[in-house]
């Protein structure tokens, strides 16, 4: 007796590849999902010449990425300096906590060593 699993044939009907049921599709369409006006409004795009970080008009040196995003060089430098400072603060906090843990562990090991010497 053969115990192999047979695969059903893929539907060749239009829309046969849709992972949603008819009821799910109907409910999503009635809520406005998937319509052009819901996805792309004038609020979803920046006006030309506005920085993607500061969301303000670029007045000075502009930098464009290969994907077409425009940034103000001043804003990028300010962002990088801020992030660098945040990372330094996080690293200092991490080192401080790591030292606390190491000190507690050393104290615990010392107590365990003394306890084992006394019980011996």
């Amino acid at each position: 007796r053969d115990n192999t699993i047979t695969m059903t044939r893929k539907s060749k009907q239009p829309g046969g590849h849709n992972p949603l049921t008819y009821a799910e599709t109907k409910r999503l369409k009635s809520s406005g999902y998937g319509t052009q006006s819901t996805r792309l409004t004038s609020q979803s795009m920046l006006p030309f010449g506005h920085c993607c970080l500061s969301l303000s008009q670029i007045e000075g040196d502009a930098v464009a990425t290969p994907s077409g995003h425009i940034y103000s060089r001043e804003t990028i430098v300010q962002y990088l300096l801020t992030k660098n400072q945040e990372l330094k603060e996080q690293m200092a906090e991490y080192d401080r906590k790591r030292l606390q843990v190491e000190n507690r562990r050393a104290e615990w090991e010392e107590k365990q060593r003394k306890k084992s010497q006394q019980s011996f």
Side-chain angles (χ1 to χ4, degrees):
R1 185 171 152 182
D2 191 14
N3 289 335
T4 59
I5 299 173
T6 58
M7 300 293 288
T8 59
R9 294 183 69 188
K10 188 173 181 179
S11 173
K12 294 184 180 181
Q13 298 295 323
H17 64 280
N18 191 357
L20 299 175
T21 64
Y22 174 75
E24 291 170 336
T25 306
K26 190 174 178 182
R27 187 175 61 239
L28 287 174
K29 282 185 180 178
S30 67
S31 69
Y33 177 80
T35 62
Q36 193 71 6
S37 62
T38 302
R39 276 193 261 164
L40 298 175
T41 63
S42 61
Q43 307 279 320
S44 65
M45 294 184 279
L46 284 175
F48 182 75
H50 281 66
C51 176
C52 292
L53 281 175
S54 65
L55 306 176
S56 62
Q57 181 72 30
I58 297 175
E59 298 176 6
D61 199 11
V63 178
T65 63
S67 61
H69 294 89
I70 302 172
Y71 298 96
S72 168
R73 187 176 302 272
E74 180 182 321
T75 305
I76 291 175
V77 171
Q78 181 181 0
Y79 175 78
L80 292 175
L81 290 173
T82 303
K83 282 297 176 185
N84 194 17
Q85 184 62 32
E86 287 176 9
L87 289 173
K88 284 180 183 178
E89 291 169 2
Q90 289 175 355
M91 187 62 135
E93 180 68 23
Y94 170 77
D95 288 339
R96 198 169 32 254
K97 286 184 180 182
R98 187 176 50 86
L99 283 174
Q100 287 176 352
V101 169
E102 287 177 4
N103 290 339
R104 281 192 221 140
R105 183 175 180 185
E107 290 172 5
W108 181 81
E109 288 175 350
E110 183 65 26
K111 285 181 183 178
Q112 292 298 320
R113 188 181 60 77
K114 286 182 181 181
K115 188 186 280 186
S116 67
Q117 285 177 354
Q118 288 176 354
S119 66
F120 182 68

